[in-house]
Amino acid sequence: GSDMLRTIALARVNKTLLNQITRLCENLRLDALIFLCGPSELTHVGKIIEHLAKEKPQVLVNCILHSVSGWVRSPGWIETNLGFDSACACLCEVAGNLALSRQALDRDIYHFVACGSKTLTIEVALQIRPTMCFIGEEIRRKRRLLEDIIEEICDTIVVRNCEHDLHAGVIMIADDFF
C-alpha cells in the first residue's frame, strides 16, 4: 500500500488521491491494505483510513509502525527497532519502486527519498543506483552551499532529459544532510 502514497512522507493526501485509492481497491478487489510507515507518514495513512471507513468499509487498513532509529515507542508493547537488513530491504523496495514509477505515472517526476542514517542511505544507494545521493558529512567536508546543491540537481535533471531522454529519477538524502 505504500506506493499509493507516491512519495510517502512528502505526499499530499487530497480528495483525488483518496478516490484513486478507492478505485484501486475496487479494481484489484483488495480486502486489506497494510502500510509500513514511521510517525511522519502516520497522519497521511490516518486520512486514508478515515476515507476508506466511509467509502469502502469492507477494506481493512492496518498500519505497522517502524523505526530504524528507535523513534517509535509504545508503552506496553515490545519495543523493537527495524533491524538494519530489514530496513535496507524495505527502503530498497520502496525507493526502487519510486525509481520505476515514471512509467506508471506517465509524467516527468523526481522523488526525494530520506533514508535515515548515512550508512543505511549508502547501502540502499549501492543497491538501487539512484540518480543522486547526498550525505551530510560529504557536503560539510566540501563546504557546499544549499544553492550549489540545488544547481547541481537542476543541471543533472536537464542533462538526463536533454542528452539521455530520461524523465525521472530518485535523489537520496541521508538524515545528516539536514
Side-chain angles (χ1 to χ4, degrees):
S2 301
D3 57 328
M4 292 181 193
L5 290 177
R6 296 200 181 119
T7 55
I8 314 303
L10 304 178
R12 186 174 187 164
V13 178
N14 56 31
K15 191 69 173 169
T16 303
L17 180 61
L18 293 171
N19 289 332
Q20 288 173 346
I21 292 171
T22 302
R23 281 194 306 277
L24 185 66
C25 289
E26 290 169 356
N27 293 342
L28 296 176
R29 297 186 192 125
L30 297 178
D31 296 322
L33 293 174
I34 298 174
F35 290 92
L36 175 67
C37 63
S40 59
E41 294 90 7
L42 198 53
T43 302
H44 301 301
V45 174
K47 292 176 184 176
I48 294 169
I49 290 170
E50 288 176 3
H51 176 77
L52 288 176
K54 292 176 190 167
E55 300 295 321
K56 300 267 316 154
Q58 68 275 21
V59 176
L60 301 174
V61 181
N62 223 335
C63 182
I64 300 169
L65 284 173
H66 76 81
S67 173
V68 175
S69 57
W71 293 349
V72 175
R73 301 264 187 241
S74 298
W77 294 83
I78 297 173
E79 292 184 12
T80 183
N81 294 337
L82 193 61
F84 183 83
D85 290 338
S86 298
C88 187
C90 180
L91 287 167
C92 283
E93 182 176 350
V94 170
N97 286 340
L98 290 174
L100 299 173
S101 68
R102 197 290 183 193
Q103 294 85 358
L105 297 174
D106 197 31
R107 61 180 161 166
D108 293 0
I109 190 162
Y110 279 80
H111 297 279
F112 288 79
V113 179
C115 280
S117 71
K118 65 181 178 185
T119 309
L120 187 59
T121 303
I122 292 168
E123 183 64 34
V124 172
L126 288 170
Q127 291 190 38
I128 71 157
R129 299 180 65 201
T131 306
M132 303 177 88
C133 182
F134 292 100
I135 307 297
E137 183 178 310
E138 180 182 344
I139 291 167
R140 282 188 295 281
R141 186 175 49 80
K142 292 180 179 179
R143 297 189 174 159
R144 298 194 61 196
L145 300 174
L146 183 59
E147 291 82 11
D148 299 332
I149 295 167
I150 292 170
E151 186 175 323
E152 180 184 357
I153 292 170
C154 292
D155 291 346
T156 300
I157 290 171
V158 169
V159 167
R160 284 172 56 88
N161 191 318
C162 295
E163 295 179 15
H164 305 288
D165 199 32
L166 297 171
H167 302 277
V170 172
I171 300 167
M172 299 181 67
I173 301 169
D175 277 354
D176 67 343
F177 176 84
F178 302 104

